[in-house]
Amino acid sequence: MDNFLLYGVPLLIAAASVPFLHRFKRTRGRKLLYHAIYAAVCTVSALFLPSVVQDVIFSRGGVLVVGTMIPVYESIVAVCTLTETDDKAWLMYWVAAGTFSYATEFIDQITEYLPSAGEHWYEFEFFAVLWMLLPFTDGSALLFDLITRPFIAPFARILEKKLEGFGGFILTLVNGSHIYFLWWVFLFMPAEARRFITVAVGTIYPTIASIVALTTTTGKDDVYWLTYWSCYSLLFIAMDCLENYIGVRGFYSLCLCATVYLFLPMFKGAEAVFRNVLVPLSGQYENMLLRDAQIVRQEMERKIPARMRANALSKAASLFATSATSTSKDASASSKVTSEAIPPASDVSPEAVSEASQKRSRLPKLFRKKTE
């Protein structure tokens, strides 16, 4: 029951708040009035909310759920949409949140010796994470514009070039007989050290690479690392929930292997988990296919010579239009036959049919708009 309150209630709050957040445009943190209002609301909440409510919301579970589940869902939606602006917005959040999470990793150990230092820690962490992700405060974009881009990004580019062979270095370490030696060394480290190494591998290099991706004009790197953070954050929540119940020494080894599988390009683990698990669960599969169609169009524009481009894109648009027309005819014929034998299903609304038709009709437009 305690675990349900710790994680279930914040999860319900996060799910209910997503439609509310979509009503606001992101401000890049430039509206000082919004920050003042947010600070006032936080102060009132911390002072006057009942202690029972505070214990549930301002908790480790509350921070993990609200600071992870909402951004994961929004990141999935961002990757599957046709625009790239939202990709960068949520990648900025993951850079800020990842840095903040790793920098405060030792707070539990500190509070063991100084209980007064952590008396209101979860209130501060909850409000800080919420400040970074809310669209009207947009703290992550503000931190990126004022700190990350001018001061950290130049060093991040240098570090990324030096760490480009990081994947090969890992494979060299785990090659042949070294894998057993390294595994045994890792296995007999203290639990705090194993957790520290696991979190470090999952956050340090991906944060550096994400900062570099945000400073480039291409959106491919943004999608790659946004996909990674969506998967890794859920892995981190699973690790955080299970580490107190699974006492075997191989637990952190398994988490470390899963982390490496997610972010190394040779495995493409994050992409596999994202496409086959997260996208279907979030209901964004059709939007992902539209995004894939747009990527195909961009590849055609890049590879096909200019004199042949218009004709090729016109043929591609005709191909999708023909496919959509034939599918519509088949569906119409099937519907006619079915309606003669079986009464129409009441749970399929005309709005759902119209929405599906609109999504199919968007495919030819992706290719046609460049040829007109």
Side-chain angles (χ1 to χ4, degrees):
M1 185 65 180
D2 292 340
N3 287 333
F4 172 76
L5 291 175
L6 188 63
Y7 293 98
V9 173
L11 182 60
L12 293 175
I13 295 174
S17 64
V18 169
F20 171 76
L21 297 179
H22 288 169
R23 298 181 180 181
F24 299 90
K25 292 183 179 180
R26 305 200 75 86
T27 63
R28 297 194 73 88
R30 299 300 182 180
K31 303 289 186 179
L32 295 180
L33 178 61
Y34 293 163
H35 295 286
I37 295 173
Y38 180 75
V41 172
C42 292
T43 303
V44 171
S45 301
L47 292 176
F48 297 106
L49 276 180
S51 58
V52 176
V53 177
Q54 291 193 26
D55 291 341
V56 173
I57 297 178
F58 305 140
S59 62
R60 188 177 186 86
V63 172
L64 282 175
V65 171
V66 175
T68 302
M69 299 307 295
I70 293 177
V72 165
Y73 176 78
E74 293 295 340
S75 298
I76 296 171
V77 173
V79 170
C80 294
T81 55
L82 301 179
T83 59
E84 296 180 359
T85 305
D86 48 359
D87 297 355
K88 289 189 177 294
W90 286 106
L91 191 56
M92 289 178 194
Y93 169 80
W94 289 118
V95 168
T99 304
F100 179 75
S101 176
Y102 186 70
T104 59
E105 182 67 20
F106 293 104
I107 192 65
D108 289 337
Q109 284 72 34
I110 294 174
T111 55
E112 288 181 5
Y113 300 98
L114 296 173
S116 59
E119 185 176 354
H120 298 288
W121 168 250
Y122 286 124
E123 287 94 326
F124 168 75
E125 189 175 12
F126 182 89
F127 289 133
V129 169
L130 205 59
W131 175 78
M132 287 188 281
L133 71 87
L134 287 176
F136 36 84
T137 53
D138 207 359
S140 57
L142 184 65
L143 291 174
F144 183 81
D145 292 337
L146 297 182
I147 300 175
T148 306
R149 188 195 296 274
F151 301 110
I152 301 177
F155 297 100
R157 295 190 194 99
I158 297 173
L159 283 174
E160 194 206 25
K161 289 182 179 179
K162 292 183 178 180
L163 294 173
E164 280 181 350
F166 186 56
F169 175 70
I170 290 179
L171 291 181
T172 301
L173 286 178
V174 301
N175 194 357
S177 60
H178 297 119
I179 186 172
Y180 296 103
F181 174 74
L182 291 173
W183 182 70
W184 277 103
V185 171
F186 180 79
L187 200 61
F188 286 96
M189 287 180 176
E192 293 81 4
R194 282 180 277 134
R195 178 187 169 85
F196 174 80
I197 292 174
T198 302
V199 176
V201 171
T203 55
I204 294 179
Y205 177 74
T207 298
I208 294 172
S210 298
I211 292 172
V212 174
L214 285 169
T215 59
T216 59
T217 56
T218 59
K220 189 175 182 180
D221 291 343
D222 297 346
V223 171
Y224 180 87
W225 289 110
L226 196 56
T227 300
Y228 165 78
W229 286 112
S230 301
C231 299
Y232 174 73
S233 300
L234 296 178
L235 174 64
F236 183 84
I237 283 187
M239 182 180 75
D240 192 77
C241 294
L242 296 176
E243 62 186 351
N244 295 324
Y245 302 100
I246 300 179
V248 295
R249 285 189 171 271
F251 174 70
Y252 288 113
S253 300
L254 181 62
C255 294
L256 182 61
C257 291
T259 301
V260 173
Y261 168 75
L262 288 177
F263 83 77
L264 283 185
M266 64 192 69
F267 298 131
K268 295 183 178 179
E271 182 180 358
V273 174
F274 185 86
R275 284 180 167 269
N276 297 318
V277 180
L278 299 187
V279 170
L281 287 177
S282 62
Q284 297 296 315
Y285 189 73
E286 291 187 15
N287 289 331
M288 183 188 68
L289 295 180
L290 289 172
R291 176 71 176 255
D292 292 342
Q294 184 188 40
I295 293 173
V296 171
R297 177 180 63 77
Q298 293 171 347
E299 287 292 312
M300 291 177 66
E301 292 176 355
R302 185 173 62 87
K303 294 181 179 180
I304 298 176
R307 66 180 185 277
M308 303 169 59
R309 192 175 301 154
N311 186 39
L313 290 175
S314 178
K315 289 181 179 179
S318 300
L319 178 64
F320 279 105
T322 302
S323 176
T325 302
S326 61
T327 302
S328 178
K329 290 180 178 179
D330 292 343
S332 177
S334 176
S335 175
K336 183 177 180 180
V337 172
T338 304
S339 64
E340 294 176 355
I342 303 174
S346 59
D347 58 342
V348 180
S349 65
E351 291 79 6
V353 176
S354 176
E355 182 182 358
S357 300
Q358 290 175 3
K359 288 185 176 181
R360 283 198 301 269
S361 65
R362 289 170 64 186
L363 283 169
K365 293 178 183 178
L366 285 174
F367 292 87
R368 190 183 302 123
K369 64 181 181 180
K370 284 289 184 178
T371 64
E372 294 176 346

